[in-house]
Amino acid sequence: MNLILLRPDDYLDPQRVRLSDGRAEQIRQVHRAQAGDSVRVGDLGGLMGSAIIEQLDEHTVTLRVVLDRQPPAKLPVTLVLALPRPKMARRICRTIAELGVRELILINSYRVEKSYWSSPLLSEDRIQDYFIEGLQQSMDTVLPTLRIEKYFKPFVEDHLPALASNKRALVAHPRSDVRCPRDIRDDSLLAIGPEGGFIPYELEKLEEAGLQAVTLGERILKVETAVPVLLSRLFS
């Protein structure tokens, strides 16, 4: 991890924290740090900065913290994503956090297997853990907002039109005739379907909600590839 994220219960006083979990192990084993060394830290949801290691043993690390920098700005995008396969979820959610997505909405789709919704790998707590891994990699402190919608039609009919209003609202669809735009600055909403894509009925409902179908070209990408490619193209 490139950034050690701190939580309120880590603090001994306003300037000092003590770590005794995997973050302490990371400092000892991966950073190979010693007392007096500096590591990069940030408050989860707050400022970033650095910390001097005051004490380090086989169980705990004590740090003196100075936080003086804002985290990087988020991408101006709400990502609407069909619930991914559980084994792909960690990689996809990490990538979403690494790239700075502002909000993630996980939705149902015809091609999403019902069993995915009960997988422990896709619980809200696990998804937040995946986000934290991404933040620590990319040196950010602010979690994407997470929203889970288990019913496609009510969400698309009752909530999506308002979310898409006054935004550049797009849905990735390989058979569209419209090429995905590049390097936009608009407040945006991007929908990405499951493996195999949205079925025609779903695509029609998304378009009725105000989303425009766009394509990257002839190649059909896996979701874990499409997410970073689309975001990088839109916000290069």
Side-chain angles (χ1 to χ4, degrees):
M1 61 183 72
N2 296 313
L3 182 76
I4 307 297
L5 280 177
L6 307 174
R7 299 174 176 84
D9 56 3
D10 295 324
Y11 279 83
L12 301 172
D13 60 47
Q15 282 78 44
R16 294 168 65 245
V17 300
R18 180 169 294 155
L19 306 177
S20 59
D21 55 13
R23 294 168 295 173
E25 187 73 11
Q26 178 84 8
I27 291 170
R28 288 194 302 270
Q29 300 297 328
V30 178
H31 292 273
R32 298 184 181 276
Q34 300 177 0
D37 289 348
S38 175
V39 293
R40 292 172 291 195
V41 298
D43 275 345
L44 186 61
L47 295 175
M48 300 165 49
S50 61
I52 300 297
I53 300 173
E54 289 190 334
Q55 184 178 353
L56 181 149
D57 58 36
E58 61 178 320
H59 300 296
T60 63
V61 176
T62 304
L63 306 169
R64 181 168 293 277
V65 176
V66 176
L67 302 175
D68 54 9
R69 290 184 288 117
Q70 293 289 336
K74 292 294 186 189
L75 295 181
V77 63
T78 295
L79 179 61
V80 178
L81 181 68
L83 192 71
R85 289 190 294 111
K87 290 184 178 180
M88 292 173 55
R90 180 179 182 181
R91 295 192 296 272
I92 292 172
C93 291
R94 279 190 57 168
T95 297
I96 286 167
E98 286 176 18
L99 293 176
V101 169
R102 180 181 59 199
E103 180 178 18
L104 173 64
I105 304 176
L106 293 173
I107 66 170
N108 202 7
S109 171
Y110 179 80
R111 292 192 170 108
V112 170
E113 293 188 21
K114 292 180 180 179
S115 62
Y116 293 178
W117 291 102
S118 58
S119 170
L121 297 177
L122 290 169
S123 68
E124 290 193 43
D125 288 344
R126 292 296 288 272
I127 291 171
Q128 296 289 356
D129 288 343
Y130 306 151
F131 284 162
I132 287 172
E133 291 177 8
L135 295 182
Q136 291 179 143
Q137 172 63 35
S138 63
M139 295 189 62
D140 190 1
T141 63
V142 180
L143 291 163
T145 301
L146 176 64
R147 176 172 169 177
I148 296 177
E149 296 284 349
K150 294 185 178 181
Y151 302 101
F152 179 87
K153 186 176 178 181
F155 169 71
V156 172
E157 290 185 344
D158 300 338
H159 302 288
L160 188 57
L163 290 170
S165 178
N166 299 319
K167 291 185 177 67
R168 177 76 71 92
L170 308 171
V171 52
H173 185 64
R175 287 173 288 282
S176 172
D177 295 327
V178 179
R179 297 287 291 190
C180 182
R182 291 179 180 271
D183 195 20
I184 65 176
R185 296 289 186 269
D186 307 327
D187 194 13
S188 304
L189 182 145
L190 173 64
I192 300 176
E195 298 294 334
F198 291 114
I199 63 174
Y201 166 80
E202 293 169 339
L203 184 63
E204 180 181 345
K205 300 301 289 185
L206 292 166
E207 290 178 328
E208 288 176 0
L211 279 63
Q212 179 186 31
V214 296
T215 181
L216 288 169
E218 297 179 359
R219 295 182 183 273
I220 308 297
L221 306 180
K222 285 186 171 294
V223 175
E224 61 186 309
T225 304
V227 167
V229 169
L230 282 160
L231 292 172
S232 297
R233 181 183 176 100
L234 288 170
F235 302 103
S236 59

